Amino acid sequence: MRILIIGSGAREHALAWKCLRSPLAERVYVAPGNGGTAAIARNVPIQSDDPLRLARLARKEKIGLAVLGPDAAVAAGVGDTLRDAGIPTFGPDRDAGRIESSKSFAKEIMLAAGIPTAEHQVFTEAEPARRYARKLRGRVAVKADGLALGKGVIVCGGEKEAEQVIDAMLVRHSFGRAGSTVVIEERLEGPELSVFGICDGRDVVPLVPVRDFKRAGEGDEGPNTGGMGAYSPPIGVTDELVAEAADTVLRPAIREMARRGHDYRGVLYAGLMLTADGIRTLEFNARFGDPEIQVVVPRLRSDLVPLLLAAALGDLPLRPWVEWSERPAVGVVVASGGYPESYETGFPVEGLNAVPPGVLIFHAGTRLVPGRGLVTSGGRVLTAVGTGADVEEARMTALSGAVRVRFPGAFFRKDIAQEAVRA
């Protein structure tokens, strides 16, 4: 089978790496890919939000499975176009993908399905939004309704900060169209958890749980990012808790979507908070998380391709056989200086030949330049992943890889998964 993975990040590199380990995979294509995927698969210079060219490629190369990576591909309707072309596609259609691209729509699904979430309201004008934030004493999360590259959620600690964020979105339009509508919800307290479900439109197969780290600085300080690292399994998260999340969050969401005529085939990501009152749902994503998937696939012992293909065909087995390694995995993102704000690119990436054995390197913001080799091309440059007998061994393995990656301004968090070691 020929497999097409759509996207250019570390998520897509990790998926390509795992798919290539399947005896079903004849060849893997990545569109557009990056400097890392070029070494293991065939990169194709087509952007992930170009459905017509991707469909032509899929027909020409006789693709047997297409896998949507980033939110841009879902929002552009790539899933719709590929399915219309007869290509089995893992990833939702554009309408179903609104569960990520519109936070107000996601809240509507949660309420209709009885999914536990925070108290919230939706606003398009600043003054009513300010009044609601004051009612909650400014302890709110302000969320841009649309896609904002993983940076559209601002957690506020008081009224002044909340009003500043509301004004930035609804008055100064700092988030563009994505922030023209905002969801304001009560600020919840507790550890966060990411749970993924493979969905065929009717049912869900949950994957192992993950915890990611969004802040740029150690100790969860600094600005929000797309993610600076992740580990699995998170401390204190049991199989029973994952099963509860599947039964109370993922399956109700898929069934409510089906009731509305949305045949959701792909991965549904639930961002959860474990509060004193139980699970609360923060958000849904219509894609694998990055950097979360980079620590999930190394733990998956069974073949990923049959699972993705069954979901794409709408026919997950009643008792899918999925086997996981007991060894924890930790991923550490190496980023460009200045990320997530302004940063420079085009720097040579050095040190990869010195990465110790046992460290996986998944590229994100890299590209190959003739005559220069591998250079940086994004804010998050790569993820170093380690596994081990325990979280500390996995963490030290990942850090041993991250510390050897060199380019001007490179930085990474040294405290990823440290909470589990301390516990």
Side-chain angles (χ1 to χ4, degrees):
M1 175 191 303
R2 296 183 174 189
I3 300 169
L4 170 62
I5 296 173
I6 297 163
S8 62
R11 164 183 45 232
E12 289 74 36
H13 191 181
L15 290 170
W17 173 82
K18 184 63 179 177
C19 287
L20 281 164
R21 277 151 178 74
S22 171
L24 299 176
E26 172 194 344
R27 178 179 291 180
V28 173
Y29 302 75
V30 187
N34 58 43
T37 58
I40 64 171
R42 178 181 168 186
N43 281 0
V44 184
I46 301 175
Q47 294 304 308
S48 56
D49 58 356
D50 192 339
L52 295 179
R53 291 186 65 200
L54 288 167
R56 285 197 293 269
L57 169 70
R59 285 194 297 263
K60 177 184 175 183
E61 299 296 335
K62 297 180 174 57
I63 296 299
L65 172 66
V67 180
L68 274 57
D71 48 18
V74 177
V78 173
D80 308 66
T81 304
L82 289 174
R83 286 193 182 90
D84 288 345
I87 308 299
T89 302
F90 181 84
D93 295 345
R94 176 162 39 197
D95 281 348
R98 290 175 60 214
I99 201 165
E100 174 175 8
S101 62
S102 171
K103 291 193 170 52
S104 58
F105 177 72
K107 288 293 189 181
E108 185 182 316
I109 293 292
M110 293 181 208
L111 292 178
I115 295 169
T117 189
E119 177 187 337
H120 67 279
Q121 288 189 23
V122 180
F123 300 92
T124 57
E125 296 183 1
E127 186 50 39
R130 294 188 199 106
R131 287 198 299 267
Y132 184 69
R134 286 195 292 269
K135 174 187 171 185
L136 296 177
R137 299 180 181 178
R139 294 184 60 77
V140 296
V142 183
K143 301 182 176 183
D145 183 60
L147 298 175
L149 301 177
K151 303 167 192 173
V153 178
I154 311 295
V155 179
C156 305
E159 293 182 17
K160 183 177 179 180
E161 184 182 6
E163 291 193 9
Q164 288 173 342
V165 174
I166 290 166
D167 287 350
M169 291 191 185
L170 293 178
V171 178
R172 298 195 301 277
H173 306 293
S174 301
F175 287 72
R177 292 181 60 187
S180 61
T181 298
V182 301
V183 175
I184 299 179
E185 65 182 35
E186 63 175 324
R187 179 174 173 175
L188 300 173
E189 301 290 342
E192 293 190 29
L193 179 68
S194 300
V195 176
F196 300 93
I198 303 295
C199 311
D200 67 352
R202 299 173 292 106
D203 203 3
V204 175
V205 176
L207 306 184
V208 288
V210 189
R211 179 163 295 141
D212 74 327
F213 298 79
K214 293 292 189 189
R215 299 287 182 175
E218 296 187 14
D220 280 331
E221 299 292 335
N224 215 31
T225 74
M228 292 299 295
Y231 78 105
S232 175
I235 186 72
V237 177
T238 63
D239 292 344
E240 290 75 18
L241 183 60
V242 174
E244 180 186 351
D247 287 340
T248 62
V249 179
L250 296 176
R251 290 191 177 95
I254 290 299
R255 288 165 185 167
E256 176 60 22
M257 296 281 279
R259 189 186 70 80
R260 294 169 179 238
H262 302 308
D263 186 15
Y264 194 104
R265 301 184 188 187
V267 63
L268 184 62
Y269 163 118
L272 309 175
M273 183 164 280
L274 308 179
T275 75
D277 298 319
I279 290 174
R280 294 293 182 270
T281 308
L282 300 174
E283 64 177 353
F284 286 117
N285 287 344
R287 56 189 165 85
F288 288 113
D290 178 348
E292 292 97 327
I293 194 61
Q294 290 96 290
V295 298
V296 170
V297 291
R299 298 193 61 211
L300 179 61
R301 282 182 172 161
S302 37
D303 194 337
L304 178 63
V305 172
L307 192 61
L308 301 185
L309 182 61
L313 297 174
D315 192 24
L316 280 172
L318 290 177
R319 294 182 180 276
W321 184 76
V322 182
E323 183 181 0
W324 298 97
S325 169
E326 294 295 325
R327 290 169 64 84
V330 175
V332 175
V333 171
V334 182
S336 296
Y339 175 79
E341 308 299 337
S342 61
Y343 53 86
E344 296 183 25
T345 61
F347 298 116
V349 179
E350 300 177 338
L352 293 181
N353 291 336
V355 169
V359 180
L360 294 169
I361 298 291
F362 295 125
H363 292 233
T366 70
R367 61 188 178 95
L368 288 171
V369 177
R372 295 189 62 202
L374 194 72
V375 302
T376 64
S377 63
R380 292 187 294 173
V381 176
L382 53 81
T383 307
V385 178
T387 60
D390 54 28
V391 174
E392 175 65 356
E393 183 180 340
R395 197 175 78 87
M396 296 308 295
T397 301
L399 289 170
S400 74
V403 75
R404 284 169 172 79
V405 178
R406 300 190 308 276
F407 55 87
F411 77 97
F412 58 90
R413 284 183 56 170
K414 301 178 182 67
D415 63 343
I416 303 299
Q418 199 169 47
E419 61 177 31
V421 178
R422 289 171 176 165

